[in-house]
Amino acid sequence: MARRCYLVSLVTSLLIGCQPSSPAEQVATPPPVLDSVQLAIIPAPTAPDTVDWLNRSLPGKATTDTTFRLNGQLYRLRLSATTDSARMLRIATDGIVGEALAADSNFARNRLVTGPAGRYQIVLTMAAGQPIMRKEFQKPDFYPVVGADIVVVSEPIPPRFLGYYPEVGGLAFWQEIGIPGSDVGTYVFYLLDLQGRVRELSAGNEFGEGRADCDPLPAPRGGALLTCGQLLRAGQPPLPLQKPHADLVLARFLSDTTVLTIYQYGEYKVTTDSLGHPESMEWQVPPRLRNQPNAFVLNLRGQPVARFRYTGFASALGYTVPRAYLPATRTYYLLDEEQRALRLLEQASPAATREVKFGQMSPFRPPRKPAEARLVLDAEASRYEFYVDKSQPSRIRYRRRPLPG
């Protein structure tokens, strides 16, 4: 994932006045109680047309000691991360790591930052203890994916186990690597087979600025896995989701066979003063992209089956897309306040996407009709209430209200 020069001032302000803690060995100790879960791919519910795939997210709980059943056998997976303060790493920063993590007092001249070595361990055994696989990553293994200066100063933490997905390679993990005391960093995605061989290692998502509205999740019925940076498919090469001169705003499954991707075209341009110091920065969109479609419904071969223009996303510490799913109409609704419209994507046929402008809707006046379903979507300063006719997804009444507080 591309490094973002516009984070320099943010990182500097976050790190000024902070002092690096004394190096010490830190080991994540597995909890004594196991979480028994089935992590092999499980078929989707019998009525997948009632499931909101666009809003699926990672489970809230992560564990460093897990048991799971595979082919009738019970396995145990233990995860840990260790800081080795006896071995310090030094590397030059390109500006994203601030002076608080400098290697010495000559930071302005040599730009060196320092951090302890670190190990990330994954141990797979049979439930009774027989060893199956042991894999260890060192900090330098992540240099090509995250950027060496961020990796060096990061505090090792255990990876998060996402599940076992044999169709696309094996055991999936989500590794957090970032600058201490800041919201700058990257989630790394990797896959290991049952022999510990790395089948995939790539950037997944950002921590804050530039974070896509995305979670690493499998397709509803398996066979594909969204890493936020790529779409992994059984028997096919990874499909990169990033585009040049653009940020990935959203990447999520719509159905078992379709993925929605949305982009913000452009990139930050930084101007400098006569001494080369950053002076200002501005998001600039190439003229050729200003009115081009930036939202795509893709099939699992990566081919766009629909494309449209969408400008309703928000960007603060990460992108968000205001959306809702209505089981009664089996339709996703995306709010685009800038265009004063709703974008409709029917789950059964998302290629037939359509836009309904506010001007095509009737103002809402009580009472609510029995055949209507209510959707509430928030934009920057307003709350929109939509009343959708369950028999006709595009027949909508609406009203706008200020956000509470």
Side-chain angles (χ1 to χ4, degrees), residues 1-4 7 96 120 142-151 154-155 157 174-180 182-190 201-211 227-229 242:
M1 190 171 293
R3 303 294 299 278
R4 306 173 66 83
L7 289 172
I96 201 165
Y120 310 78
F142 299 117
Y143 286 178
V145 181
V146 181
D149 52 349
I150 293 180
V151 179
S154 66
E155 298 172 349
I157 65 170
W174 198 235
Q175 180 69 60
E176 178 180 329
I177 300 176
I179 300 174
S182 81
D183 58 7
V184 179
T186 298
Y187 294 100
V188 175
F189 174 88
Y190 53 89
L201 176 65
S202 57
N205 211 342
E206 301 289 342
F207 281 12
E209 185 81 28
R211 176 182 53 80
T227 76
C228 298
Q242 303 291 336

mmCIF file of all heavy atoms in Angstrom, residues 1-4 7 96 120 142-151 154-155 157 174-180 182-190 201-211 227-229 242:
data_model
loop_
_atom_site.group_PDB
_atom_site.id
_atom_site.type_symbol
_atom_site.label_atom_id
_atom_site.label_comp_id
_atom_site.label_asym_id
_atom_site.label_seq_id
_atom_site.Cartn_x
_atom_site.Cartn_y
_atom_site.Cartn_z
ATOM 1 N N MET A 1 0.847 -1.170 0.000
ATOM 2 C CA MET A 1 0.000 0.000 0.000
ATOM 3 C C MET A 1 0.897 1.239 0.000
ATOM 4 O O MET A 1 1.900 1.324 0.683
ATOM 5 C CB MET A 1 -0.905 0.005 1.228
ATOM 6 C CG MET A 1 -1.981 1.057 1.163
ATOM 7 S SD MET A 1 -3.175 0.852 2.519
ATOM 8 C CE MET A 1 -3.927 -0.692 2.032
ATOM 9 N N ALA A 2 0.530 2.221 -0.789
ATOM 10 C CA ALA A 2 1.381 3.379 -0.961
ATOM 11 C C ALA A 2 1.570 4.125 0.342
ATOM 12 O O ALA A 2 0.666 4.249 1.148
ATOM 13 C CB ALA A 2 0.764 4.303 -2.017
ATOM 14 N N ARG A 3 2.803 4.662 0.543
ATOM 15 C CA ARG A 3 3.078 5.482 1.706
ATOM 16 C C ARG A 3 2.462 6.844 1.499
ATOM 17 O O ARG A 3 2.441 7.390 0.400
ATOM 18 C CB ARG A 3 4.605 5.614 1.898
ATOM 19 C CG ARG A 3 5.299 4.278 2.040
ATOM 20 C CD ARG A 3 4.871 3.580 3.309
ATOM 21 N NE ARG A 3 5.215 4.381 4.459
ATOM 22 C CZ ARG A 3 6.448 4.373 4.971
ATOM 23 N NH1 ARG A 3 7.390 3.620 4.456
ATOM 24 N NH2 ARG A 3 6.727 5.105 6.020
ATOM 25 N N ARG A 4 2.004 7.494 2.542
ATOM 26 C CA ARG A 4 1.225 8.726 2.415
ATOM 27 C C ARG A 4 2.020 9.871 3.024
ATOM 28 O O ARG A 4 2.122 10.022 4.237
ATOM 29 C CB ARG A 4 -0.121 8.572 3.092
ATOM 30 C CG ARG A 4 -0.889 7.339 2.590
ATOM 31 C CD ARG A 4 -2.132 7.148 3.405
ATOM 32 N NE ARG A 4 -3.084 8.227 3.201
ATOM 33 C CZ ARG A 4 -3.935 8.284 2.193
ATOM 34 N NH1 ARG A 4 -3.949 7.339 1.298
ATOM 35 N NH2 ARG A 4 -4.780 9.302 2.086
ATOM 36 N N LEU A 7 0.924 12.473 5.902
ATOM 37 C CA LEU A 7 0.807 12.138 7.318
ATOM 38 C C LEU A 7 1.964 12.692 8.137
ATOM 39 O O LEU A 7 1.966 12.568 9.349
ATOM 40 C CB LEU A 7 0.768 10.620 7.486
ATOM 41 C CG LEU A 7 -0.509 9.950 7.002
ATOM 42 C CD1 LEU A 7 -0.340 8.445 7.041
ATOM 43 C CD2 LEU A 7 -1.690 10.371 7.833
ATOM 44 N N ILE A 96 8.097 9.865 7.867
ATOM 45 C CA ILE A 96 6.816 9.530 8.477
ATOM 46 C C ILE A 96 6.961 9.237 9.971
ATOM 47 O O ILE A 96 6.010 9.363 10.725
ATOM 48 C CB ILE A 96 6.166 8.337 7.743
ATOM 49 C CG1 ILE A 96 4.666 8.323 8.018
ATOM 50 C CG2 ILE A 96 6.814 7.017 8.105
ATOM 51 C CD1 ILE A 96 3.886 7.434 7.099
ATOM 52 N N TYR A 120 7.237 -12.678 16.032
ATOM 53 C CA TYR A 120 5.805 -12.975 16.002
ATOM 54 C C TYR A 120 5.685 -14.478 15.766
ATOM 55 O O TYR A 120 6.108 -14.982 14.724
ATOM 56 C CB TYR A 120 5.111 -12.208 14.878
ATOM 57 C CG TYR A 120 5.424 -10.724 14.855
ATOM 58 C CD1 TYR A 120 6.642 -10.259 14.340
ATOM 59 C CD2 TYR A 120 4.515 -9.794 15.348
ATOM 60 C CE1 TYR A 120 6.938 -8.903 14.321
ATOM 61 C CE2 TYR A 120 4.795 -8.435 15.326
ATOM 62 C CZ TYR A 120 6.010 -7.998 14.810
ATOM 63 O OH TYR A 120 6.304 -6.650 14.802
ATOM 64 N N PHE A 142 8.510 -7.875 7.483
ATOM 65 C CA PHE A 142 7.411 -6.976 7.125
ATOM 66 C C PHE A 142 7.889 -5.687 6.448
ATOM 67 O O PHE A 142 7.067 -4.862 6.070
ATOM 68 C CB PHE A 142 6.590 -6.636 8.370
ATOM 69 C CG PHE A 142 5.956 -7.821 9.028
ATOM 70 C CD1 PHE A 142 6.295 -8.184 10.323
ATOM 71 C CD2 PHE A 142 5.022 -8.597 8.356
ATOM 72 C CE1 PHE A 142 5.714 -9.283 10.940
ATOM 73 C CE2 PHE A 142 4.441 -9.706 8.953
ATOM 74 C CZ PHE A 142 4.787 -10.046 10.253
ATOM 75 N N TYR A 143 9.210 -5.500 6.307
ATOM 76 C CA TYR A 143 9.721 -4.270 5.701
ATOM 77 C C TYR A 143 9.104 -3.977 4.329
ATOM 78 O O TYR A 143 8.703 -2.851 4.061
ATOM 79 C CB TYR A 143 11.249 -4.341 5.558
ATOM 80 C CG TYR A 143 12.052 -4.178 6.826
ATOM 81 C CD1 TYR A 143 13.447 -4.261 6.794
ATOM 82 C CD2 TYR A 143 11.450 -3.941 8.053
ATOM 83 C CE1 TYR A 143 14.211 -4.121 7.946
ATOM 84 C CE2 TYR A 143 12.206 -3.811 9.216
ATOM 85 C CZ TYR A 143 13.579 -3.897 9.149
ATOM 86 O OH TYR A 143 14.337 -3.756 10.294
ATOM 87 N N PRO A 144 9.045 -4.950 3.417
ATOM 88 C CA PRO A 144 8.548 -4.628 2.072
ATOM 89 C C PRO A 144 7.066 -4.250 2.040
ATOM 90 O O PRO A 144 6.606 -3.638 1.080
ATOM 91 C CB PRO A 144 8.793 -5.925 1.286
ATOM 92 C CG PRO A 144 9.765 -6.712 2.095
ATOM 93 C CD PRO A 144 9.481 -6.360 3.511
ATOM 94 N N VAL A 145 6.323 -4.632 3.070
ATOM 95 C CA VAL A 145 4.872 -4.445 3.052
ATOM 96 C C VAL A 145 4.460 -3.142 3.719
ATOM 97 O O VAL A 145 3.589 -2.419 3.232
ATOM 98 C CB VAL A 145 4.162 -5.633 3.737
ATOM 99 C CG1 VAL A 145 2.659 -5.452 3.707
ATOM 100 C CG2 VAL A 145 4.550 -6.936 3.055
ATOM 101 N N VAL A 146 5.090 -2.820 4.844
ATOM 102 C CA VAL A 146 4.669 -1.667 5.636
ATOM 103 C C VAL A 146 5.593 -0.482 5.458
ATOM 104 O O VAL A 146 5.156 0.668 5.477
ATOM 105 C CB VAL A 146 4.597 -2.050 7.136
ATOM 106 C CG1 VAL A 146 4.132 -0.877 7.974
ATOM 107 C CG2 VAL A 146 3.668 -3.240 7.327
ATOM 108 N N GLY A 147 6.875 -0.709 5.296
ATOM 109 C CA GLY A 147 7.868 0.355 5.332
ATOM 110 C C GLY A 147 8.750 0.118 6.536
ATOM 111 O O GLY A 147 8.281 0.012 7.671
ATOM 112 N N ALA A 148 10.049 0.032 6.294
ATOM 113 C CA ALA A 148 10.962 -0.418 7.330
ATOM 114 C C ALA A 148 10.974 0.491 8.547
ATOM 115 O O ALA A 148 11.104 0.023 9.677
ATOM 116 C CB ALA A 148 12.379 -0.532 6.749
ATOM 117 N N ASP A 149 10.853 1.828 8.362
ATOM 118 C CA ASP A 149 10.939 2.726 9.508
ATOM 119 C C ASP A 149 9.769 2.527 10.468
ATOM 120 O O ASP A 149 9.929 2.548 11.693
ATOM 121 C CB ASP A 149 11.050 4.183 9.065
ATOM 122 C CG ASP A 149 9.974 4.603 8.069
ATOM 123 O OD1 ASP A 149 9.261 3.726 7.548
ATOM 124 O OD2 ASP A 149 9.845 5.812 7.810
ATOM 125 N N ILE A 150 8.564 2.288 9.933
ATOM 126 C CA ILE A 150 7.407 2.036 10.795
ATOM 127 C C ILE A 150 7.565 0.703 11.520
ATOM 128 O O ILE A 150 7.282 0.582 12.715
ATOM 129 C CB ILE A 150 6.105 2.064 9.990
ATOM 130 C CG1 ILE A 150 5.829 3.473 9.468
ATOM 131 C CG2 ILE A 150 4.926 1.574 10.822
ATOM 132 C CD1 ILE A 150 4.558 3.601 8.668
ATOM 133 N N VAL A 151 8.040 -0.314 10.805
ATOM 134 C CA VAL A 151 8.206 -1.629 11.422
ATOM 135 C C VAL A 151 9.217 -1.562 12.562
ATOM 136 O O VAL A 151 8.995 -2.118 13.643
ATOM 137 C CB VAL A 151 8.636 -2.674 10.376
ATOM 138 C CG1 VAL A 151 8.838 -4.029 11.039
ATOM 139 C CG2 VAL A 151 7.606 -2.793 9.268
ATOM 140 N N SER A 154 7.775 -0.018 15.728
ATOM 141 C CA SER A 154 6.516 -0.595 16.199
ATOM 142 C C SER A 154 6.723 -1.491 17.410
ATOM 143 O O SER A 154 7.821 -2.016 17.639
ATOM 144 C CB SER A 154 5.847 -1.400 15.077
ATOM 145 O OG SER A 154 6.614 -2.544 14.737
ATOM 146 N N GLU A 155 5.664 -1.642 18.194
ATOM 147 C CA GLU A 155 5.676 -2.538 19.346
ATOM 148 C C GLU A 155 5.012 -3.850 18.933
ATOM 149 O O GLU A 155 3.827 -3.863 18.594
ATOM 150 C CB GLU A 155 4.927 -1.901 20.509
ATOM 151 C CG GLU A 155 5.563 -0.600 20.986
ATOM 152 C CD GLU A 155 4.715 0.124 22.009
ATOM 153 O OE1 GLU A 155 3.540 -0.287 22.195
ATOM 154 O OE2 GLU A 155 5.200 1.101 22.597
ATOM 155 N N ILE A 157 2.868 -6.966 18.570
ATOM 156 C CA ILE A 157 1.673 -7.518 19.208
ATOM 157 C C ILE A 157 1.283 -8.782 18.453
ATOM 158 O O ILE A 157 1.620 -8.936 17.272
ATOM 159 C CB ILE A 157 0.499 -6.511 19.218
ATOM 160 C CG1 ILE A 157 0.031 -6.210 17.788
ATOM 161 C CG2 ILE A 157 0.879 -5.221 19.925
ATOM 162 C CD1 ILE A 157 -1.253 -5.416 17.753
ATOM 163 N N TRP A 174 -4.280 -11.362 10.533
ATOM 164 C CA TRP A 174 -4.355 -9.902 10.406
ATOM 165 C C TRP A 174 -3.373 -9.345 11.429
ATOM 166 O O TRP A 174 -3.558 -9.482 12.624
ATOM 167 C CB TRP A 174 -5.773 -9.480 10.729
ATOM 168 C CG TRP A 174 -6.273 -8.132 10.319
ATOM 169 C CD1 TRP A 174 -6.830 -7.195 11.147
ATOM 170 C CD2 TRP A 174 -6.381 -7.580 9.004
ATOM 171 N NE1 TRP A 174 -7.253 -6.108 10.436
ATOM 172 C CE2 TRP A 174 -6.991 -6.317 9.116
ATOM 173 C CE3 TRP A 174 -5.992 -8.032 7.749
ATOM 174 C CZ2 TRP A 174 -7.237 -5.487 8.011
ATOM 175 C CZ3 TRP A 174 -6.237 -7.216 6.644
ATOM 176 C CH2 TRP A 174 -6.857 -5.964 6.778
ATOM 177 N N GLN A 175 -2.302 -8.709 10.937
ATOM 178 C CA GLN A 175 -1.212 -8.253 11.806
ATOM 179 C C GLN A 175 -1.170 -6.726 11.860
ATOM 180 O O GLN A 175 -1.085 -6.059 10.838
ATOM 181 C CB GLN A 175 0.127 -8.769 11.275
ATOM 182 C CG GLN A 175 1.337 -8.353 12.097
ATOM 183 C CD GLN A 175 1.359 -9.039 13.443
ATOM 184 O OE1 GLN A 175 1.399 -10.261 13.522
ATOM 185 N NE2 GLN A 175 1.304 -8.253 14.512
ATOM 186 N N GLU A 176 -1.208 -6.186 13.057
ATOM 187 C CA GLU A 176 -1.166 -4.734 13.252
ATOM 188 C C GLU A 176 0.281 -4.277 13.431
ATOM 189 O O GLU A 176 1.009 -4.789 14.266
ATOM 190 C CB GLU A 176 -1.982 -4.373 14.492
ATOM 191 C CG GLU A 176 -1.994 -2.906 14.846
ATOM 192 C CD GLU A 176 -2.826 -2.626 16.090
ATOM 193 O OE1 GLU A 176 -3.807 -3.357 16.312
ATOM 194 O OE2 GLU A 176 -2.475 -1.694 16.833
ATOM 195 N N ILE A 177 0.692 -3.267 12.634
ATOM 196 C CA ILE A 177 2.042 -2.708 12.728
ATOM 197 C C ILE A 177 1.937 -1.198 12.569
ATOM 198 O O ILE A 177 1.485 -0.706 11.528
ATOM 199 C CB ILE A 177 2.988 -3.282 11.655
ATOM 200 C CG1 ILE A 177 3.107 -4.799 11.800
ATOM 201 C CG2 ILE A 177 4.361 -2.634 11.738
ATOM 202 C CD1 ILE A 177 3.944 -5.460 10.722
ATOM 203 N N GLY A 178 2.340 -0.444 13.608
ATOM 204 C CA GLY A 178 2.188 0.996 13.536
ATOM 205 C C GLY A 178 3.161 1.746 14.416
ATOM 206 O O GLY A 178 3.939 1.155 15.181
ATOM 207 N N ILE A 179 3.127 3.068 14.315
ATOM 208 C CA ILE A 179 3.969 3.946 15.117
ATOM 209 C C ILE A 179 3.342 4.086 16.494
ATOM 210 O O ILE A 179 2.167 4.459 16.606
ATOM 211 C CB ILE A 179 4.106 5.325 14.448
ATOM 212 C CG1 ILE A 179 4.734 5.182 13.057
ATOM 213 C CG2 ILE A 179 4.945 6.260 15.314
ATOM 214 C CD1 ILE A 179 4.767 6.474 12.270
ATOM 215 N N PRO A 180 4.062 3.796 17.560
ATOM 216 C CA PRO A 180 3.487 3.907 18.900
ATOM 217 C C PRO A 180 2.943 5.303 19.186
ATOM 218 O O PRO A 180 3.528 6.310 18.789
ATOM 219 C CB PRO A 180 4.680 3.591 19.820
ATOM 220 C CG PRO A 180 5.610 2.777 18.978
ATOM 221 C CD PRO A 180 5.458 3.324 17.592
ATOM 222 N N SER A 182 0.339 6.759 17.988
ATOM 223 C CA SER A 182 -0.262 7.474 16.856
ATOM 224 C C SER A 182 -1.308 6.596 16.198
ATOM 225 O O SER A 182 -1.481 5.432 16.556
ATOM 226 C CB SER A 182 0.812 7.845 15.825
ATOM 227 O OG SER A 182 1.114 6.732 14.989
ATOM 228 N N ASP A 183 -2.006 7.154 15.220
ATOM 229 C CA ASP A 183 -2.960 6.370 14.440
ATOM 230 C C ASP A 183 -2.389 6.062 13.060
ATOM 231 O O ASP A 183 -3.133 5.856 12.103
ATOM 232 C CB ASP A 183 -4.302 7.104 14.323
ATOM 233 C CG ASP A 183 -4.165 8.477 13.682
ATOM 234 O OD1 ASP A 183 -3.061 8.799 13.202
ATOM 235 O OD2 ASP A 183 -5.145 9.235 13.664
ATOM 236 N N VAL A 184 -1.072 6.032 12.949
ATOM 237 C CA VAL A 184 -0.404 5.777 11.675
ATOM 238 C C VAL A 184 0.137 4.353 11.674
ATOM 239 O O VAL A 184 0.926 3.967 12.543
ATOM 240 C CB VAL A 184 0.750 6.772 11.444
ATOM 241 C CG1 VAL A 184 1.456 6.467 10.125
ATOM 242 C CG2 VAL A 184 0.222 8.197 11.450
ATOM 243 N N GLY A 185 -0.304 3.572 10.724
ATOM 244 C CA GLY A 185 0.162 2.199 10.629
ATOM 245 C C GLY A 185 -0.637 1.430 9.602
ATOM 246 O O GLY A 185 -1.534 1.965 8.946
ATOM 247 N N THR A 186 -0.312 0.157 9.490
ATOM 248 C CA THR A 186 -0.910 -0.699 8.472
ATOM 249 C C THR A 186 -1.271 -2.043 9.080
ATOM 250 O O THR A 186 -0.539 -2.572 9.913
ATOM 251 C CB THR A 186 0.077 -0.914 7.302
ATOM 252 O OG1 THR A 186 0.359 0.344 6.688
ATOM 253 C CG2 THR A 186 -0.496 -1.859 6.254
ATOM 254 N N TYR A 187 -2.396 -2.583 8.653
ATOM 255 C CA TYR A 187 -2.746 -3.971 8.952
ATOM 256 C C TYR A 187 -2.208 -4.833 7.817
ATOM 257 O O TYR A 187 -2.490 -4.589 6.646
ATOM 258 C CB TYR A 187 -4.257 -4.138 9.063
ATOM 259 C CG TYR A 187 -4.871 -3.405 10.223
ATOM 260 C CD1 TYR A 187 -5.513 -2.188 10.036
ATOM 261 C CD2 TYR A 187 -4.807 -3.928 11.513
ATOM 262 C CE1 TYR A 187 -6.083 -1.508 11.107
ATOM 263 C CE2 TYR A 187 -5.373 -3.261 12.586
ATOM 264 C CZ TYR A 187 -6.013 -2.050 12.373
ATOM 265 O OH TYR A 187 -6.560 -1.383 13.431
ATOM 266 N N VAL A 188 -1.438 -5.842 8.181
ATOM 267 C CA VAL A 188 -0.870 -6.760 7.199
ATOM 268 C C VAL A 188 -1.704 -8.031 7.187
ATOM 269 O O VAL A 188 -2.083 -8.550 8.237
ATOM 270 C CB VAL A 188 0.594 -7.080 7.547
ATOM 271 C CG1 VAL A 188 1.156 -8.128 6.595
ATOM 272 C CG2 VAL A 188 1.434 -5.811 7.504
ATOM 273 N N PHE A 189 -1.988 -8.514 6.003
ATOM 274 C CA PHE A 189 -2.726 -9.768 5.839
ATOM 275 C C PHE A 189 -1.749 -10.843 5.388
ATOM 276 O O PHE A 189 -0.914 -10.609 4.502
ATOM 277 C CB PHE A 189 -3.830 -9.615 4.801
ATOM 278 C CG PHE A 189 -4.544 -10.902 4.483
ATOM 279 C CD1 PHE A 189 -5.636 -11.301 5.230
ATOM 280 C CD2 PHE A 189 -4.107 -11.730 3.452
ATOM 281 C CE1 PHE A 189 -6.289 -12.495 4.968
ATOM 282 C CE2 PHE A 189 -4.758 -12.929 3.180
ATOM 283 C CZ PHE A 189 -5.849 -13.306 3.940
ATOM 284 N N TYR A 190 -1.833 -12.041 5.991
ATOM 285 C CA TYR A 190 -1.036 -13.143 5.461
ATOM 286 C C TYR A 190 -1.745 -14.476 5.645
ATOM 287 O O TYR A 190 -2.612 -14.633 6.512
ATOM 288 C CB TYR A 190 0.381 -13.185 6.043
ATOM 289 C CG TYR A 190 0.539 -13.177 7.537
ATOM 290 C CD1 TYR A 190 0.554 -14.357 8.269
ATOM 291 C CD2 TYR A 190 0.745 -11.986 8.221
ATOM 292 C CE1 TYR A 190 0.750 -14.362 9.641
ATOM 293 C CE2 TYR A 190 0.946 -11.967 9.594
ATOM 294 C CZ TYR A 190 0.944 -13.155 10.300
ATOM 295 O OH TYR A 190 1.139 -13.147 11.659
ATOM 296 N N LEU A 201 1.334 -12.546 1.583
ATOM 297 C CA LEU A 201 1.764 -11.533 2.547
ATOM 298 C C LEU A 201 1.637 -10.190 1.862
ATOM 299 O O LEU A 201 2.349 -9.901 0.905
ATOM 300 C CB LEU A 201 3.212 -11.782 2.992
ATOM 301 C CG LEU A 201 3.837 -10.736 3.924
ATOM 302 C CD1 LEU A 201 3.108 -10.704 5.263
ATOM 303 C CD2 LEU A 201 5.320 -11.009 4.133
ATOM 304 N N SER A 202 0.697 -9.359 2.324
ATOM 305 C CA SER A 202 0.431 -8.092 1.650
ATOM 306 C C SER A 202 -0.220 -7.114 2.613
ATOM 307 O O SER A 202 -0.738 -7.494 3.665
ATOM 308 C CB SER A 202 -0.476 -8.314 0.429
ATOM 309 O OG SER A 202 -1.690 -8.944 0.817
ATOM 310 N N ALA A 203 -0.189 -5.837 2.235
ATOM 311 C CA ALA A 203 -0.852 -4.810 3.031
ATOM 312 C C ALA A 203 -2.357 -5.005 2.954
ATOM 313 O O ALA A 203 -2.906 -5.308 1.886
ATOM 314 C CB ALA A 203 -0.469 -3.420 2.523
ATOM 315 N N GLY A 204 -3.016 -4.851 4.106
ATOM 316 C CA GLY A 204 -4.461 -5.025 4.134
ATOM 317 C C GLY A 204 -5.222 -3.720 4.179
ATOM 318 O O GLY A 204 -6.018 -3.426 3.314
ATOM 319 N N ASN A 205 -4.963 -2.886 5.212
ATOM 320 C CA ASN A 205 -5.698 -1.643 5.384
ATOM 321 C C ASN A 205 -4.862 -0.702 6.229
ATOM 322 O O ASN A 205 -3.879 -1.112 6.850
ATOM 323 C CB ASN A 205 -7.053 -1.905 6.047
ATOM 324 C CG ASN A 205 -8.130 -0.927 5.615
ATOM 325 O OD1 ASN A 205 -7.838 0.147 5.075
ATOM 326 N ND2 ASN A 205 -9.382 -1.274 5.846
ATOM 327 N N GLU A 206 -5.232 0.573 6.255
ATOM 328 C CA GLU A 206 -4.550 1.555 7.081
ATOM 329 C C GLU A 206 -5.233 1.653 8.445
ATOM 330 O O GLU A 206 -6.376 1.239 8.616
ATOM 331 C CB GLU A 206 -4.563 2.926 6.393
ATOM 332 C CG GLU A 206 -3.909 2.949 5.020
ATOM 333 C CD GLU A 206 -2.402 2.806 5.071
ATOM 334 O OE1 GLU A 206 -1.816 3.021 6.154
ATOM 335 O OE2 GLU A 206 -1.798 2.457 4.038
ATOM 336 N N PHE A 207 -4.535 2.246 9.424
ATOM 337 C CA PHE A 207 -5.126 2.472 10.738
ATOM 338 C C PHE A 207 -6.155 3.599 10.688
ATOM 339 O O PHE A 207 -7.286 3.441 11.110
ATOM 340 C CB PHE A 207 -4.041 2.884 11.740
ATOM 341 C CG PHE A 207 -3.222 1.744 12.282
ATOM 342 C CD1 PHE A 207 -3.283 0.484 11.725
ATOM 343 C CD2 PHE A 207 -2.372 1.942 13.350
ATOM 344 C CE1 PHE A 207 -2.517 -0.553 12.226
ATOM 345 C CE2 PHE A 207 -1.600 0.923 13.861
ATOM 346 C CZ PHE A 207 -1.663 -0.329 13.295
ATOM 347 N N GLY A 208 -5.731 4.771 10.228
ATOM 348 C CA GLY A 208 -6.563 5.970 10.321
ATOM 349 C C GLY A 208 -6.743 6.619 8.967
ATOM 350 O O GLY A 208 -7.541 6.179 8.144
ATOM 351 N N GLU A 209 -6.000 7.702 8.723
ATOM 352 C CA GLU A 209 -6.102 8.419 7.452
ATOM 353 C C GLU A 209 -5.884 7.462 6.297
ATOM 354 O O GLU A 209 -4.895 6.732 6.251
ATOM 355 C CB GLU A 209 -5.060 9.537 7.416
ATOM 356 C CG GLU A 209 -5.140 10.429 6.195
ATOM 357 C CD GLU A 209 -6.213 11.489 6.305
ATOM 358 O OE1 GLU A 209 -6.520 11.896 7.432
ATOM 359 O OE2 GLU A 209 -6.741 11.905 5.255
ATOM 360 N N GLY A 210 -6.825 7.438 5.361
ATOM 361 C CA GLY A 210 -6.711 6.546 4.219
ATOM 362 C C GLY A 210 -7.276 5.160 4.438
ATOM 363 O O GLY A 210 -7.233 4.327 3.525
ATOM 364 N N ARG A 211 -7.826 4.871 5.633
ATOM 365 C CA ARG A 211 -8.389 3.541 5.893
ATOM 366 C C ARG A 211 -9.656 3.333 5.066
ATOM 367 O O ARG A 211 -10.570 4.147 5.089
ATOM 368 C CB ARG A 211 -8.715 3.395 7.379
ATOM 369 C CG ARG A 211 -9.393 2.071 7.734
ATOM 370 C CD ARG A 211 -9.736 1.996 9.213
ATOM 371 N NE ARG A 211 -10.501 3.146 9.656
ATOM 372 C CZ ARG A 211 -11.807 3.303 9.478
ATOM 373 N NH1 ARG A 211 -12.505 2.358 8.848
ATOM 374 N NH2 ARG A 211 -12.427 4.378 9.914
ATOM 375 N N THR A 227 -9.177 -9.196 1.368
ATOM 376 C CA THR A 227 -8.148 -8.771 2.329
ATOM 377 C C THR A 227 -8.130 -7.267 2.504
ATOM 378 O O THR A 227 -7.310 -6.763 3.263
ATOM 379 C CB THR A 227 -6.759 -9.223 1.874
ATOM 380 O OG1 THR A 227 -6.299 -8.382 0.813
ATOM 381 C CG2 THR A 227 -6.770 -10.672 1.415
ATOM 382 N N CYS A 228 -8.976 -6.553 1.805
ATOM 383 C CA CYS A 228 -9.052 -5.090 1.726
ATOM 384 C C CYS A 228 -8.036 -4.531 0.741
ATOM 385 O O CYS A 228 -8.306 -3.524 0.090
ATOM 386 C CB CYS A 228 -8.918 -4.416 3.086
ATOM 387 S SG CYS A 228 -10.241 -4.857 4.236
ATOM 388 N N GLY A 229 -6.894 -5.172 0.598
ATOM 389 C CA GLY A 229 -5.963 -4.767 -0.445
ATOM 390 C C GLY A 229 -6.140 -5.575 -1.717
ATOM 391 O O GLY A 229 -5.843 -5.094 -2.813
ATOM 392 N N GLN A 242 -6.373 -1.813 -5.242
ATOM 393 C CA GLN A 242 -5.902 -0.438 -5.286
ATOM 394 C C GLN A 242 -5.803 0.043 -6.724
ATOM 395 O O GLN A 242 -5.572 -0.750 -7.644
ATOM 396 C CB GLN A 242 -4.529 -0.321 -4.613
ATOM 397 C CG GLN A 242 -4.494 -0.789 -3.173
ATOM 398 C CD GLN A 242 -5.270 0.107 -2.226
ATOM 399 O OE1 GLN A 242 -5.472 1.288 -2.501
ATOM 400 N NE2 GLN A 242 -5.725 -0.444 -1.117
#
